[in-house]
Amino acid sequence: MYEVLRDRIRSTEPVALVTVVDGPNIGAKLLVRPGHPAEGTLGDAELDRIVGRDALAELEAATTGVRHYGPRGETTPEDLIDTDTVAVFVESFAPPPQMWIFGAVDFTAALAKVAKMLGYRVTVCDAREVFATKRRFPMADEVLVSWPGRLFSERGSSLGPRDAVCVLTHDSKFDVPAVMGAIGTPVGYIGVMGSRKTHAKRMERLAEAGLTEPDQLERLMSPIGLDIGARTPEETAISICAEIISRRTGRQSPSLRDGAGAIHS
Amino acid sequence: MRDILDDIDRWRQDGRRVAVARVVDVEGSGPRDPGASMAVSEDGEVAGSVSGGCVEGAVVGEALRILHGDQQPRLVTFGYSDDEAFAVGLTCGGTIHLFIEPLDW
């Protein structure tokens, strides 16, 4: 089973490993893959069925943690009174989150580098083929010569809450369709680069293109990044990625020194 | 797990037995999330980590006992809040639960 798990992790295909960590059959395992029958057993067919179903859901959400069941997969609290429970550790190996970066500029190279460090699968997209080359962005997983509208219609449905779209073009004929495409997906983060002036002009163009709903406008992080005084492409990349993290965790972003709460939560 | 696969492969190709420790649960402030893992070969080589370096030494000892058959695979808790906890604590004050087992599956 280890070999199947290992190969699956290496090829970044989704897989979840379920291990009994407390109760009967400690160490028993179930390996779960979407579209395949589960492999292995936790010691009871009904337990396997219920846990396998729940593990697929955890995998879909890319979550990892311990779950408790009765010996036959019972989950309702009344059924668990006076029975031995089984604690299983469900470990999800979900495909890496995606970052799509529009615009093949200097900031793109730095952002792609930091995003790779954070585990993103990075796609760089620009319509200008002299700029959008693998040689300029060796750290990106793919470099596409394409228009945003086309990329979103072909692959927009693959974006979800864990993913990010960063628009760094400063060119309204490119960034307006990129933002409109991103707004049409459930992508978790949409950031758009530009000065306050560029931002104001772009908001007018976006309104002309039909982006007027407050709920949709609220999703735009524009100008992109946290206010840390970043100047260079590398510092700006840190500011953007820090904003992505703080949006995901729902935190405001003061310095740890000036707060009092738990550092991890 | 991803970051320890190469070492595990290398050890297994040499015919060495391997134990794996994984963080399954964290209470309070913990340095690594569930899924953080480390592997220990039967001759004491180590890959990966499960904390910020606070408990790794104790995990190696436990992993070797399991590989030598002196201990069954089990949940092990590190932290201050549990009476059963190892003497080794986490400097950040949290509690982590690890599952340590031989890689024989």
Side-chain angles (χ1 to χ4, degrees), chain A residues 58-107:
Chain A
E58 295 248 12
L59 181 57
E60 181 78 20
T63 51
T64 283
V66 175
R67 303 180 71 107
H68 299 268
Y69 297 90
R72 309 261 175 283
E74 299 89 338
T75 51
T76 44
E78 307 88 82
D79 293 340
L80 294 178
I81 299 168
D82 296 330
T83 59
D84 293 332
T85 57
V86 184
V88 301
F89 177 53
V90 181
E91 185 170 9
S92 292
F93 299 91
Q98 302 185 68
M99 182 185 286
W100 290 9
I101 307 173
F102 291 97
V105 297
D106 286 347
F107 289 96

Side-chain angles (χ1 to χ4, degrees), chain A residues 1-3 5-6 8-12 17 19-22 26-27 29 64-66 87 89 91 93-96 262-265, chain B residues 1-2 4-9 12 22-25 28-37 73-75 92 99 101-103 105:
Chain A
M1 185 183 288
Y2 167 73
E3 284 77 12
L5 175 71
R6 177 197 63 195
R8 198 85 184 173
I9 293 173
R10 284 211 170 113
S11 62
T12 68
L17 178 67
T19 306
V20 175
V21 294
D22 209 4
I26 282 190
K29 290 197 165 50
T64 283
V66 175
F89 177 53
E91 185 170 9
F93 299 91
I263 292 176
H264 308 284
S265 69
Chain B
M1 194 81 131
R2 196 182 306 269
I4 61 175
L5 294 175
D6 288 349
D7 288 298
I8 292 176
D9 276 357
R12 281 160 54 106
R22 289 181 286 161
V23 177
V24 302
D25 202 6
S29 190
R32 301 287 308 270
D33 286 332
S37 58
R74 60 170 184 154
L75 272 180
C92 48
F99 187 68
E101 60 179 338
L103 207 171
W105 34 276

Side-chain angles (χ1 to χ4, degrees), chain A residues 106-155:
Chain A
D106 286 347
F107 289 96
T108 308
L111 179 56
K113 211 180 282 178
V114 176
K116 283 308 292 176
M117 194 168 77
L118 294 176
Y120 284 91
R121 183 176 192 283
V122 176
T123 298
V124 172
C125 176
D126 195 304
R128 303 164 300 177
E129 56 187 300
V130 272
F131 294 115
T133 62
K134 185 73 188 163
R135 200 175 55 77
R136 290 188 72 214
F137 306 104
M139 68 300 283
D141 295 279
E142 59 177 347
V143 180
L144 302 175
V145 179
S146 182
W147 284 88
R150 204 174 101 201
L151 184 57
F152 278 103
S153 67
E154 284 170 4
R155 283 160 46 179

